[in-house]
Amino acid sequence: QTVIMDKPTGKGRQMRARQVVDYFASESRFNAMELSCDEDDVDETEELRPKAQLKGKRVIHDAEEDGSSTALKTQAAKQNRMESESSDDEGEFEREGESDDEDDSDVEDDNQDEEASDDFQVKQPVRKPQLAQAKTMPKRSGTWKQTKKVKWTDEEIEELPVITEPKVMFEDMVQRAEQQAAEAGSALSGHSLKALASELEGRPLRIATMCSGTESPLLALDMICGALHKQHGVSLHVEHVFSCEIEPFKQAYIERNFAPPILFRDIRELGENEATTAYGAMKAVPGQVDLLVAGTSCVDYSNLNNKQQSLEQKGESGQTFWGMMKWIRRFRPPIVIQENVCGAPWDDMVGYYDKEGYSAVHMRVDTKNHYIPHTRTRVYLLAIDTNAPNRRATAGKTNASKMSSRGDELARWQAAINELSRPSSSALEAFLLPSDDPKVHRAREDLSRPKESKRTGVVDWARCETRHQRARGEEELGEKRPLTRWESQGHCAGPDFAWHDWYKAQVERVLDLMDINFLRQAKGDVDANFKTLVWNLSQNVDRTTGSVRPGLCPCLTPNMVPYVTNRGGPLIGPEVLSLQGIPVDDLLLTRESEDQMADLAGNAMTSTIVGTCILAALLLGRDYLLAFEGKPATPQGSGTSKGGLVTSTGVVHSDMRSDCVGTLSKQMKIEEAPLNLRPTPAAPGLSQLIADAARSA
């Protein structure tokens, strides 16, 4: 509660003491002060009792003659003011920083003279105006049609509380969405998530995902439902219809963490009546979905690909897009959200959606503008079925006078994403695990092993050496290797705090690239060892390999080597997943290696962005949801539904086990009973073993 520091005065020491005071003053929980005392004026035989006011309370420091005991006494602010008024001591007291005590008496205390001993020089307190509540939204200038883009000022960003947990991010998102729904002139005005959940009356929203990798859409919906239930006590149920993923280790990740009713293998087969599952069986492709979220392949559109292909050429990206469009053409979901890189042919995609009877719009978003210090620019597309009827009106949940105006959903969706944006208020260090965390030790051991590659033999350093020498010459960096001090024989020595075992596992190209990046920073008078910078060591020297600014992570890619300069080692798997807004602690990641977790994060949708897109799309396209055609659950919020197991706050999956058990019971007339494990006098025969096995099954 109280920190007292003794600093000797003198030339040069006063500045350091001032820095200590400034540091404590920057912390919102502390009020810092600096008191100067002249030793010549102090009688050592006398008790020294400096008095000061901190946060409306009185703190007294008693120093006895032997200095062996120190007591801190507190009194009420009112009593302290009375003593202050009656005191004849003169002097002023200097204090900087804000008080976190919300009592009104603090304002009166600051207007009164502070009490101090004659041995101390005290100045009038200087206090910043206290904020009743941190702002969560910037000021609005006009309606959503008049505001092209929401801009946050530096003052508004500084007032934002630090948020690092994904669940807290979504709680803030849902709270701001409800505020926007109650505010006239906003894009979500009159579109409340609480009202939508109440109107559904327990009917689950049916969601399908294609090529979503980490299933960020499901994680985002789960956290949205949890935040809604926590803040308003209303349950929003979600039913996961199916997933589609072709990578085997991602299939295992999805099955272990989400257990979808059907996990298809190839998106290109979903336009048919049946498709192959991840287990090799043929299953009927389901429809009747309220929302489809797809992240088709980006290989042919990436800026890192020197052989890009269009949709008509039907490369890997084109084939996945056309497979998705075949399913959309057949089942016509009312809402479709698609994600891909900025270089994708988005205007062509909008045209293809238009041919299928969908109105579509796309917009570019950046992760650093949505809670997380990670600059990752992606484009999201929203498509709404223009031929879908108003199912909400059919269900009797609205009338003609309160119907949403058809045709402005797409423009409102773009404006709503801008209004729900929130810059990151935390630095990259907040997402890093402590150095003594067991996960860091295991990851360091895994990353320090020699990589198993399809290529055989030693990597030819001469293939990249010419490019490195040209970069050193053109940028006037010299030939030194100050960071790694590597030699051609494989010897290297990084900084004392670095992961030396990881350094020794790197090839010469990576080591020399680290030295070049270090020299680039040093040329600008920056010591990278004392800054939180992230270098992408997987790229060549003539590409962008450094951070945009300290404390901000560059775009994570599947094969990226994200080296953190003041750590001396790379980001590990759980950290790169958390920089995508993935709640790592809620997932089972016992089977995935570091490279596989990096692949999951590099291909994932940022949960805060896809969650914002889904939230705005469901609110603005609620009139066309197929869920309104279902029968309401009775009673609402009971936790059960005819379609499957429905939890009060979370993602739900169709419960196929009860149906299988019921069918098996009718066929074999099996009754549940405990197994007889008592020893038998004689070995059972074959018929008895078969009977026991059937009963056990």
Side-chain angles (χ1 to χ4, degrees):
Q1 295 178 349
T2 305
V3 179
I4 299 178
M5 299 182 64
D6 182 18
K7 297 287 293 184
T9 60
K11 186 176 181 180
R13 295 194 179 105
Q14 291 181 351
M15 181 174 294
R16 290 195 292 271
R18 184 73 259 167
Q19 293 174 351
V20 173
V21 173
D22 292 341
Y23 172 78
F24 279 102
S26 65
E27 297 289 337
S28 61
R29 298 187 301 110
F30 288 96
N31 284 333
M33 59 182 173
E34 180 181 358
L35 304 179
S36 60
C37 176
D38 190 355
E39 295 180 359
D40 297 335
D41 298 336
V42 178
D43 187 0
E44 295 182 358
T45 62
E46 218 174 83
E47 286 188 352
L48 181 64
R49 299 178 180 272
K51 304 174 183 179
Q53 285 185 348
L54 285 179
K55 301 185 179 181
K57 295 183 179 181
R58 181 179 177 183
V59 179
I60 304 177
H61 172 227
D62 295 341
E64 298 185 357
E65 294 180 4
D66 56 357
S68 60
S69 64
T70 301
L72 294 179
K73 303 177 182 179
T74 59
Q75 295 181 358
K78 182 177 180 180
Q79 181 180 356
N80 193 22
R81 290 198 307 272
M82 294 174 61
E83 294 180 3
S84 222
E85 293 172 354
S86 61
S87 175
D88 296 333
D89 295 337
E90 297 180 356
E92 295 178 337
F93 171 67
E94 179 180 353
R95 182 183 65 184
E96 294 182 0
E98 295 184 33
S99 170
D100 58 355
D101 195 341
E102 297 180 358
D103 191 63
D104 294 336
S105 61
D106 288 350
V107 180
E108 299 176 2
D109 291 341
D110 293 338
N111 295 329
Q112 300 175 359
D113 295 333
E114 298 288 352
E115 178 184 38
S117 174
D118 292 336
D119 297 327
F120 291 86
Q121 298 177 358
V122 189
K123 296 182 179 181
Q124 184 69 20
V126 179
R127 181 191 177 111
K128 299 178 182 179
Q130 182 175 354
L131 297 176
Q133 186 177 3
K135 295 181 180 179
T136 58
M137 290 183 293
K139 295 181 180 179
R140 177 186 303 280
S141 57
T143 63
W144 66 271
K145 294 183 179 180
Q146 299 171 346
T147 305
K148 294 183 179 180
K149 188 174 182 180
V150 175
K151 294 183 179 181
W152 291 76
T153 62
D154 295 338
E155 292 77 9
E156 291 171 339
I157 296 176
E158 291 177 357
E159 294 173 4
L160 292 174
V162 176
I163 298 179
T164 57
E165 295 295 330
K167 292 183 179 179
V168 181
M169 297 177 186
F170 278 88
E171 290 175 4
D172 180 76
M173 181 190 304
V174 171
Q175 179 183 4
R176 295 173 63 231
E178 290 300 297
Q179 293 175 359
Q180 295 283 356
E183 182 179 350
S186 67
L188 294 178
S189 179
H191 297 76
S192 171
L193 182 63
K194 177 183 177 181
L196 174 61
S198 301
E199 291 176 359
L200 288 174
E201 297 178 345
R203 304 180 183 94
L205 295 172
R206 293 171 57 85
I207 309 298
T209 58
M210 298 182 184
C211 305
S212 60
T214 56
E215 294 291 9
S216 293
L218 296 179
L219 293 171
L221 280 168
D222 184 28
M223 289 184 281
I224 289 174
C225 295
L228 180 65
H229 187 270
K230 180 179 180 180
Q231 296 175 9
H232 303 284
V234 180
S235 299
L236 179 63
H237 305 308
V238 179
E239 181 179 351
H240 187 193
V241 180
F242 69 86
S243 290
C244 182
E245 180 56 53
I246 198 170
E247 286 286 345
F249 83 90
K250 293 181 182 179
Q251 294 172 353
Y253 161 84
I254 294 173
E255 185 67 33
R256 188 186 322 118
N257 289 283
F258 303 95
I262 306 176
L263 177 56
F264 290 110
R265 178 183 179 275
D266 197 344
I267 190 175
R268 297 173 296 182
E269 300 178 0
L270 296 183
E272 309 298 332
N273 295 329
E274 293 183 342
T276 308
T277 66
Y279 299 96
M282 298 297 295
K283 287 282 188 179
V285 180
Q288 296 296 311
V289 171
D290 291 293
L291 173 65
L292 169 67
V293 184
T296 55
S297 175
C298 63
V299 174
D300 296 333
Y301 316 134
S302 175
N303 293 329
L304 303 180
N305 187 1
N306 296 325
K307 298 180 181 179
Q308 299 183 4
Q309 295 181 349
S310 63
L311 290 173
E312 290 74 14
Q313 291 177 302
K314 295 185 178 181
E316 180 179 335
S317 300
Q319 292 179 22
T320 55
F321 174 78
W322 292 118
M324 177 194 67
M325 291 302 296
K326 288 181 181 178
W327 185 90
I328 293 175
R329 184 184 303 116
R330 180 181 178 188
F331 295 105
R332 301 197 66 82
I335 302 175
V336 178
I337 294 178
Q338 183 183 346
E339 180 265 356
N340 215 309
V341 296
C342 300
W346 291 104
D347 293 336
D348 296 340
M349 293 180 182
V350 171
Y352 290 122
Y353 276 104
D354 184 66
K355 293 180 180 179
E356 300 298 333
Y358 280 81
S359 296
V361 69
H362 59 87
M363 69 175 301
R364 184 173 178 172
V365 290
D366 196 340
T367 301
K368 69 175 180 289
N369 297 326
H370 292 265
Y371 296 90
I372 302 175
H374 175 198
T375 175
R376 182 182 181 87
T377 306
R378 291 294 183 268
V379 175
Y380 284 77
L381 178 145
L382 172 66
I384 296 180
D385 187 4
T386 56
N387 299 323
N390 193 320
R391 301 181 175 94
R392 181 163 164 258
T394 305
K397 298 303 177 183
T398 185
N399 50 46
S401 60
K402 296 184 178 181
M403 286 178 56
S404 301
S405 56
R406 184 126 196 187
D408 65 346
E409 299 96 340
L410 301 180
R412 281 180 175 269
W413 179 74
Q414 290 178 306
I417 294 177
N418 284 326
E419 292 177 354
L420 293 176
S421 64
R422 181 197 186 271
S424 172
S425 58
S426 58
L428 177 63
E429 294 94 331
F431 291 81
L432 302 184
L433 296 174
S435 58
D436 58 350
D437 193 286
K439 296 179 182 178
V440 176
H441 289 287
R442 288 193 295 266
R444 181 173 176 176
E445 183 181 359
D446 186 12
L447 294 170
S448 300
R449 297 193 189 101
K451 300 295 181 182
E452 297 180 1
S453 177
K454 297 180 181 179
R455 302 177 181 177
T456 58
V458 181
V459 178
D460 188 8
W461 157 243
R463 297 178 59 183
C464 299
E465 185 176 9
T466 304
R467 303 168 75 172
H468 284 231
Q469 292 295 339
R470 184 172 64 249
R472 286 176 177 269
E474 292 177 352
E475 300 179 31
E476 300 179 353
L477 301 177
E479 299 296 330
K480 293 184 178 181
R481 300 163 182 172
L483 181 64
T484 64
R485 299 188 293 277
W486 70 275
E487 299 176 0
S488 58
Q489 306 300 329
H491 173 74
C492 66
D496 295 338
F497 58 84
W499 297 3
H500 295 283
D501 47 355
W502 178 83
Y503 265 68
K504 295 178 181 179
Q506 305 308 308
V507 297
E508 295 171 334
R509 182 199 68 82
V510 173
L511 296 175
D512 196 66
L513 178 59
M514 294 168 64
D515 285 312
I516 291 177
N517 285 338
F518 185 84
L519 291 171
R520 286 170 173 170
Q521 296 292 331
K523 191 176 179 181
D525 297 332
V526 175
D527 189 347
N529 289 332
F530 296 91
K531 297 289 185 181
T532 308
L533 301 171
V534 180
W535 294 342
N536 183 5
L537 302 181
S538 63
Q539 296 300 317
N540 287 317
V541 67
D542 47 8
R543 290 183 179 268
T544 303
T545 58
S547 292
V548 178
R549 68 171 185 262
L552 184 64
C553 180
C555 181
L556 296 171
T557 57
N559 298 319
M560 182 178 177
V561 183
Y563 174 80
V564 185
T565 55
N566 60 352
R567 167 186 276 186
L571 294 170
I572 65 173
E575 293 171 342
V576 294
L577 286 171
S578 64
L579 286 169
Q580 287 283 50
I582 306 297
V584 181
D585 296 336
D586 296 342
L587 299 177
L588 295 176
L589 299 171
T590 57
R591 299 283 183 176
E592 285 74 22
S593 65
E594 288 297 315
D595 291 340
Q596 289 175 342
M597 282 190 280
D599 189 287
L600 284 170
N603 288 317
M605 306 177 192
T606 305
S607 66
T608 52
I609 293 182
V610 70
T612 304
C613 295
I614 291 175
L615 178 60
L618 290 176
L619 293 177
L620 296 171
R622 59 182 179 178
D623 293 342
Y624 320 115
L625 294 176
L626 291 167
F628 284 110
E629 294 183 347
K631 295 182 179 179
T634 53
Q636 181 183 356
S638 62
T640 58
S641 169
K642 182 179 180 181
L645 179 63
V646 182
T647 60
S648 60
T649 57
V651 177
V652 303
H653 310 284
S654 297
D655 191 0
M656 304 300 296
R657 182 178 177 275
S658 58
D659 297 338
C660 296
V661 172
T663 305
L664 194 61
S665 300
K666 293 179 181 179
Q667 293 177 354
M668 303 182 63
K669 297 182 180 180
I670 296 178
E671 296 181 358
E672 184 178 357
L675 290 176
N676 184 11
L677 301 179
R678 291 176 297 177
T680 55
L686 180 60
S687 59
Q688 183 63 31
L689 290 174
I690 295 176
D692 291 342
R695 188 163 60 89
S696 178

